[in-house]
Amino acid sequence: MGETPGSNEAAPGLALLPRQGTPRLLGPLLLDYLGLEALPPAPGAAGIDGLMAAAGFRRRDGERNLWEREDRTLLVGEEPLEDGGRLVWALPVPWGASQASSSGTSAASTTGERVADRVRYLSLASHDLRGSLANIRSYAALLLNGRIPLEPKAQRGLETILRNADRALSFAQDFFDSSRADLGALACERERQPLLPILDAAVERTRAAASAASVGLVLDELPELPDVQVDAGRIQHAVEAFVHHLLGRAQPGESLHVRAARLGHQVRVEVRRDGAAVPEEDITAVFQCEERAFRERKLEDPLRVFLARQEVEAHGGQVGAQADVGGTTLFLTLPVTLSEELGHPAGWQA
């Protein structure tokens, strides 16, 4: 499962421990290193101590970063994130105990630095690429403001440039956000708020696309719902991604419905397309970015829907897809915390 220091380095197993909610895997490696089929539920103690104890490991005497269970020894560390969560990483220690002891602190520091460097690298790339696209868009919009007479052909050309610049900016944002999410560094600024304005904003932003496709788009009347602790922009993006995905498969005259309901300790949000059923392989692969991109020979929609999954999972929720003879449904669930059920502020403690 890993390599010795004299060979290639093993990749770290990663998990996100959000400030609230359940731990979230960032790839399958951590489960392999822990020897588990699934992560334990939210640990009673915060951070590494709670997670590793729940997984049956104990810290080696005199070592801060080394954890043991039977024949397994792991080097484990964590990095604080901007939203209050923590990125936990783990590496197998296949070499001798004495070498592990002497190498533990430096290896922990090196792994954390690699993750931090990767996040900074992505930020630089995002700034440079999006800055250039934004300049193109700004100049096209300036020429289209009506102050400069334009021939019809030039007008159409600049409108095309503007649309493509907007599309490229949106795609670039999704790409870099998804890359940050892979590192457990997706920014989420959560606040306790009602769900209706988020869904209403998502519908309004996608209404023009639905009209262009001659597809109806309706926000169904919502039942009484508890407030949710979410980053409104992230959840709005996820709902918009579901709408765009189903619009791409809808026929003129069909309709999409956005709705939500309370299910126990969760709120479920659905985007439902009423129309012909889609193939089973489309349902099972809808959230698989690379598989869809290779099969469909394009990345924009697979990446957008995959990022929606990452955004929902960063909130401790889940996504899914269902098909039946009447249509197709994409859905997401968001947890309702105890403080929200009791009507207390998010930071309230007993």
Side-chain angles (χ1 to χ4, degrees):
M1 295 187 296
E3 302 289 343
T4 64
S7 182
N8 294 327
E9 288 188 348
L14 300 173
L16 176 66
L17 297 186
R19 188 172 54 186
Q20 296 179 349
T22 58
R24 180 169 71 92
L25 282 172
L26 302 175
L29 282 178
L30 183 61
L31 289 182
D32 289 341
Y33 297 160
L34 293 174
L36 300 176
E37 294 183 357
L39 282 180
I48 289 176
D49 289 350
L51 177 63
M52 297 304 292
F57 284 77
R58 63 176 182 82
R59 183 182 276 113
R60 177 178 289 180
D61 293 341
E63 297 294 336
R64 186 169 63 91
N65 298 106
L66 291 177
W67 292 80
E68 297 176 317
R69 189 190 68 199
E70 298 173 353
D71 60 343
R72 293 176 185 264
T73 302
L74 298 180
L75 180 65
V76 185
E78 64 181 1
E79 296 294 326
L81 302 176
E82 293 180 359
D83 65 354
R86 275 165 288 190
L87 175 67
V88 171
W89 54 264
L91 288 166
V93 181
W95 57 89
S98 60
Q99 187 174 353
S101 177
S102 63
S103 304
T105 301
S106 60
S109 176
T110 300
T111 300
E113 289 172 0
R114 284 203 305 268
V115 172
D117 286 345
R118 184 64 181 171
V119 173
R120 286 195 293 268
Y121 173 82
L122 289 170
S123 297
L124 287 173
S126 175
H127 177 271
D128 290 351
L129 176 60
R130 296 178 69 248
S132 299
L133 290 171
N135 282 338
I136 295 171
R137 188 199 187 285
S138 296
Y139 282 116
L142 180 64
L143 293 171
L144 286 169
N145 65 9
R147 296 179 182 178
I148 301 174
L150 296 172
E151 295 181 358
K153 187 174 182 179
Q155 175 92 13
R156 291 193 298 272
L158 287 170
E159 289 172 350
T160 300
I161 291 173
L162 191 63
R163 285 196 302 271
N164 286 339
D166 284 338
R167 183 174 178 179
L169 282 167
S170 177
F171 175 79
Q173 184 68 56
D174 287 352
F175 178 82
F176 287 109
D177 278 351
S178 181
S179 298
R180 293 187 184 98
D182 284 339
L183 296 169
L186 182 66
C188 285
E189 299 179 2
R190 285 181 261 185
E191 297 179 359
R192 185 176 177 228
Q193 55 197 301
L195 193 56
L196 174 59
I198 299 173
L199 301 184
D200 186 57
V203 168
E204 289 305 312
R205 275 182 53 89
T206 51
R207 194 174 296 282
S211 298
S214 300
V215 173
L217 179 59
V218 180
L219 175 59
D220 291 354
E221 184 175 354
L222 302 183
E224 184 176 351
L225 297 171
D227 289 352
V228 287
Q229 186 83 7
V230 297
D231 183 316
R234 294 293 179 195
I235 300 305
Q236 180 180 328
H237 175 273
V239 176
E240 291 176 12
F242 289 1
V243 172
H244 281 297
H245 176 79
L246 293 176
L247 278 177
R249 287 148 178 78
Q251 300 297 317
E254 293 182 348
S255 61
L256 302 185
H257 290 264
V258 178
R259 55 202 184 196
R262 173 75 177 268
L263 293 177
H265 296 290
Q266 296 179 325
V267 173
R268 174 170 163 138
V269 177
E270 296 182 350
V271 181
R272 167 78 177 180
R273 168 189 163 233
D274 293 327
V278 300
E280 179 63 26
E281 58 267 23
D282 288 350
I283 290 296
T284 57
V286 63
F287 297 104
Q288 304 302 317
C289 183
E290 290 188 7
E291 178 181 337
R292 283 189 54 207
F294 292 140
R295 188 178 68 190
E296 299 172 18
R297 298 182 181 275
K298 56 185 178 181
L299 181 56
E300 184 177 17
D301 185 70
L303 177 65
R304 183 166 52 210
V305 176
F306 180 65
L307 175 58
R309 171 185 173 181
Q310 292 173 307
E311 290 171 318
V312 172
E313 290 180 346
H315 287 80
Q318 295 179 315
V319 298
Q322 298 171 334
D324 53 56
V325 292
T328 308
T329 301
L330 299 186
F331 67 88
L332 63 89
T333 62
L334 296 169
V336 177
T337 65
L338 178 61
S339 61
E340 286 150 5
E341 290 187 274
L342 297 177
H344 295 295
W348 177 88
Q349 294 181 346

